[in-house]
Amino acid sequence: MSCDKEIVEMMHQYLDGDLDKSEEKKLRAHLQSCQACQHHFHELKRTVALVTANVDLQPSPDFTKKVMSQLPTEKKRNSVIRWMRVHPMITAAAIFFILMMSGVFSAWNQDQLSYPTGKNLIVKNDIVIVPEGVTINEDIEIQNGNVKIEGKVNGDVIVINGEHLTASAGAVSGDIKQIDQIFSWLWYRLKELGQSVFDLTK
Amino acid sequence: MMEERLKKSIKLVKKGDQTAFEDIVSYYQNNVFAICFRMLGSKHEAEDLAQETFIRAYVNIHSYDENRKFSTWLYRIATNLSIDRIRKKKPDYYLDAEIKGTEGLTLYSQIPNDQVLPDNEVESLEMQAYIQKEIMALPAKYRSIIALRFLNELSLKEISDVLEIPVGTVKTRIHRGREALRKRLRHV
Ligand SMILES: [Zn+2]
């Protein structure tokens, strides 16, 4: 072992494919002149050959089957949610169909004013007014009419097929949403329904 | 293209198609098994751990980033599980280690008796058992390198990704592992 450690390091680099041409030349030259290093190098190459040798390392023939049978079975509701995520269009179409069957379209077509009752709201010429001094502590939804807020709403105001008349000086802590188109209205309904479906499955 | 097909299968598994996982298992089973065997030295344990590797991969498939190599992610699970198993071994593991050579032999003695093997092949099977025994004598960190580098022929960069250590450290370990094995196998 009189030779430089550098030579052994070069052997390893060579075996890793890390030597450039000139370094390789240097290594070769040394190996040709030094028997000890030549021997060392042969042993290294042989070691690699031994551990790399066509070892027929294989698991049992039914390995795949065994793995597949051990996979956790998906909970039904998980797979339903997953299915809905994977197929959003079919899900939307199905919900659309259900809504249609359940008569929400006819509800849309009735141009009747609807608003929450029993909340001290005043109605004047299709305008629903939250009067001054009145505070509503929840979301309100007005359909087929305009809304004017003079009092306070601690929640969202949703106006379907109507307008929020902004001249008023009242306060709304949540969002004011105006939904004028049947599709955006539907979208709103779908989101709501979807949300409740996901809430149910939680 | 196999690569493309596997990518598709992984996507399907992510979407909840359990049957698509079969493709992945049958494609990678030999490599995963080889890693576990090189690290644990027993066929029985390797089979067990290779199965666990795939089950973990399936359960955690959502944490696999599709922009990265799937094999890297999978082999990382296999090496981590193997290292855990080695660490968890009680002192009687060392008792086990004494007979690692014979355990290796049982792997190769599973060939049906009626199948007469030529002498040189028997020799090479014994040789394989011997080599595995010598590998088992190395610390686990070198065993994983030997499995990944010499069996599955991963690049240094891939090994560094699997083991989450710098390429420089991978090189050092390969050099030391190769040197240690040279000393152990020089008389074979
Ligand atoms: Zn020399």
Side-chain angles (χ1 to χ4, degrees):
Chain A
M1 290 298 277
S2 56
C3 284
D4 215 295
K5 260 196 169 168
E6 195 201 348
I7 295 295
V8 176
E9 190 53 31
M10 278 176 92
M11 293 179 198
H12 285 286
Q13 284 170 344
Y14 173 80
L15 293 171
D16 287 341
D18 270 353
L19 278 195
D20 62 37
K21 279 267 187 284
S22 71
E23 289 169 316
E24 203 181 307
K25 244 183 179 171
K26 194 181 158 195
L27 177 65
R28 261 177 218 288
H30 181 83
L31 291 180
Q32 268 161 15
S33 63
C34 175
Q35 206 146 32
C37 285
Q38 204 180 92
H39 187 64
H40 191 127
F41 186 60
H42 276 296
E43 281 182 353
L44 280 178
K45 285 217 312 201
R46 197 160 161 274
T47 302
V48 173
L50 284 174
V51 286
T52 317
N54 278 332
V55 202
D56 202 17
L57 277 180
Q58 275 179 8
S60 60
D62 56 350
F63 183 87
T64 304
K65 225 170 92 190
K66 279 194 250 169
V67 170
M68 294 307 289
S69 71
Q70 285 179 77
L71 295 184
T73 47
E74 290 183 88
K75 283 183 193 144
K76 235 192 186 149
R77 74 178 190 207
N78 281 354
S79 56
V80 167
I81 293 174
R82 219 189 264 203
W83 189 90
M84 281 165 71
R85 281 197 195 129
V86 179
H87 307 281
M89 288 311 285
I90 300 174
T91 305
I95 294 174
F96 194 89
F97 185 73
I98 293 164
L99 287 176
M100 212 165 72
M101 295 303 284
S102 61
V104 271
F105 284 102
S106 53
W108 173 265
N109 287 326
Q110 291 165 2
D111 272 346
Q112 222 170 354
L113 174 69
S114 88
Y115 61 95
T117 50
K119 304 262 188 280
N120 296 322
L121 300 181
I122 300 167
V123 182
K124 244 188 226 165
N125 308 326
D126 278 359
I127 300 173
V128 178
I129 301 164
V130 180
E132 236 182 298
V134 170
T135 304
I136 295 170
N137 289 313
E138 59 183 2
D139 298 345
I140 55 170
E141 191 181 300
I142 290 98
Q143 205 172 322
N144 300 319
N146 299 331
V147 67
K148 208 180 206 178
I149 293 151
E150 286 164 357
K152 252 180 127 176
V153 178
N154 292 323
D156 296 345
V157 175
I158 296 131
V159 193
I160 297 160
N161 209 18
E163 265 179 76
H164 170 235
L165 305 175
T166 44
S168 48
V172 176
S173 71
D175 291 338
I176 300 171
K177 290 177 204 154
Q178 276 178 222
I179 300 166
D180 301 319
Q181 305 281 324
I182 185 152
F183 285 110
S184 57
W185 178 72
L186 251 179
W187 175 236
Y188 169 73
R189 279 276 179 248
L190 282 175
K191 274 203 299 195
E192 209 179 47
L193 185 74
Q195 195 55 53
S196 58
V197 168
F198 285 111
D199 283 349
L200 273 175
T201 54
K202 258 178 205 163
Chain B
M1 280 280 287
M2 203 57 209
E3 289 270 307
E4 288 303 306
R5 204 186 136 173
L6 285 167
K7 269 192 178 161
K8 227 180 211 171
S9 298
I10 291 162
K11 277 205 167 76
L12 285 171
V13 173
K14 276 195 165 183
K15 286 180 171 183
D17 181 353
Q18 201 173 71
T19 52
F21 197 62
E22 208 169 321
D23 263 354
I24 298 166
V25 180
S26 59
Y27 186 76
Y28 288 108
Q29 58 176 343
N30 287 2
N31 283 351
V32 168
F33 177 79
I35 291 172
C36 296
F37 180 73
R38 277 296 193 232
M39 291 188 75
L40 295 161
S42 122
K43 179 172 179 169
H44 179 76
E45 273 188 288
E47 173 109 8
D48 189 47
L49 226 62
Q51 281 182 28
E52 201 178 329
T53 299
F54 283 108
I55 293 164
R56 293 252 178 137
Y58 176 80
V59 172
N60 297 303
I61 195 79
H62 288 280
S63 68
Y64 162 63
D65 174 1
E66 278 169 70
N67 299 316
R68 292 169 160 244
K69 247 184 136 172
F70 182 74
S71 57
T72 303
W73 185 74
L74 187 67
Y75 298 162
R76 187 182 304 146
I77 298 175
T79 48
N80 285 345
L81 282 176
S82 300
I83 288 167
D84 270 2
R85 179 70 64 94
I86 292 164
R87 275 194 196 132
K88 268 184 206 147
K89 297 238 190 201
K90 297 187 177 109
D92 63 299
Y93 158 66
Y94 295 101
L95 210 97
D96 260 2
E98 300 283 331
I99 51 158
K100 275 286 137 60
T102 45
E103 268 191 282
L105 277 175
T106 59
L107 159 63
Y108 298 105
S109 54
Q110 285 193 344
I111 292 143
N113 283 334
D114 53 16
Q115 201 178 325
V116 182
L117 290 162
D119 269 357
N120 60 346
E121 208 163 325
V122 174
E123 245 175 53
S124 82
L125 295 179
E126 277 165 1
M127 173 88 97
Q128 281 307 321
Y130 181 76
I131 291 165
Q132 181 60 31
K133 191 185 144 208
E134 295 304 321
I135 290 173
M136 290 309 292
L138 301 177
K141 62 180 181 183
Y142 294 110
R143 282 184 240 158
S144 58
I145 293 271
I146 285 160
L148 297 170
R149 179 66 178 165
F150 302 124
L151 218 57
N152 289 358
E153 297 181 312
L154 261 57
S155 71
L156 301 183
K157 176 77 185 74
E158 280 173 294
I159 296 174
S160 128
D161 288 341
V162 170
L163 300 176
E164 296 178 295
I165 54 174
V167 173
T169 311
V170 173
K171 281 186 192 176
T172 312
R173 286 192 193 170
I174 289 174
H175 296 186
R176 288 197 190 144
R178 196 154 40 203
E179 204 55 52
L181 273 180
R182 178 189 70 88
K183 284 176 191 149
R184 295 188 159 272
L185 298 174
R186 74 203 304 180
H187 303 299
V188 178

